[in-house]
Amino acid sequence: MELSVDWVVGFVDGEGCFHVSLNRDDEMTAGYQVLPEFVVVQHQRDRQVLLALKRFFKAGIVRGIYDDRLCLRIRKFEALRQVCDFFSRHPLKTKKNVDFLKFRRILHLMSQRRHLTQEGLLEIVDLARAMNSANRPALEEIRRRLVQSG
């Protein structure tokens, strides 16, 4: 399956997700590990679409997540930067572009090693909280802890 640039932009606009979570990790300088990822979920019957996207981006893993759903998940930092370069050159058309711009900002902060400081981590938490709504209560709690400890 060959994918055109316009098809990828439209498909990701409808089915993609830019997500950032944080995990408590006492070995990290600021106490948390920042985990950015690009995800596309599909029914298992559309596995070939996820595999084609994996080839298109030259990155990621396709695997089952629950019931009859599969996902393409890209987590490697350099691969995420390439995904960001693509969507910077070929912008998303929906509100998802707003989340993408925040996601790209988070990757930029990480490349500057700002996720290793409390100030930078707070900025990342605030950006992630403003992205898609899943897992926001956990980020609210992390933010509260960071502010209290700072």
Side-chain angles (χ1 to χ4, degrees):
M1 176 183 290
E2 266 317 295
L3 303 180
S4 72
V5 167
D6 289 339
W7 187 92
V8 170
V9 170
F11 191 77
V12 169
D13 247 334
E15 303 293 331
C17 176
F18 299 95
H19 182 262
V20 178
S21 59
L22 284 86
N23 284 344
R24 183 84 182 128
D25 186 341
D26 292 331
E27 293 184 20
M28 300 299 290
T29 308
Y32 289 90
Q33 180 182 25
V34 180
L35 301 166
E37 63 182 355
F38 171 66
V39 179
V40 180
V41 176
Q42 288 293 289
H43 189 277
Q44 64 188 6
R45 70 178 169 259
D46 293 319
R47 177 184 184 89
Q48 76 279 2
V49 172
L50 296 177
L51 293 172
L53 282 168
K54 179 181 175 180
R55 281 190 306 276
F56 184 87
F57 287 114
K58 297 178 178 70
I61 186 167
V62 174
R63 67 182 197 196
I65 52 172
Y66 57 88
D67 295 333
D68 54 0
R69 303 284 180 232
L70 301 172
C71 77
L72 166 66
R73 179 170 280 138
I74 299 175
R75 290 182 170 169
K76 290 186 178 176
F77 193 78
E78 281 308 312
L80 289 172
R81 286 172 60 141
Q82 291 174 3
V83 168
C84 286
D85 288 347
F86 173 80
F87 287 112
S88 293
R89 288 189 316 274
H90 309 284
L92 296 159
K93 309 297 186 224
T94 67
K95 181 211 171 285
K96 195 158 291 171
N97 194 51
V98 174
D99 286 344
F100 163 71
L101 294 172
K102 291 173 185 156
F103 184 83
R104 186 178 69 181
R105 173 73 180 145
I106 289 169
L107 289 183
H108 178 73
L109 290 168
M110 290 177 73
S111 71
Q112 294 180 321
R113 304 183 57 77
R114 301 256 312 160
H115 63 296
L116 301 176
T117 69
Q118 183 168 356
E119 178 184 300
L121 196 55
L122 275 169
E123 185 175 354
I124 288 170
V125 167
D126 286 341
L127 286 164
R129 284 176 44 224
M131 291 171 65
N132 45 34
S133 60
N135 198 28
R136 299 312 97 174
L139 289 174
E140 294 287 341
E141 179 60 21
I142 290 169
R143 185 177 203 298
R144 187 187 63 74
R145 286 181 194 162
L146 286 170
V147 169
Q148 282 181 344
S149 69

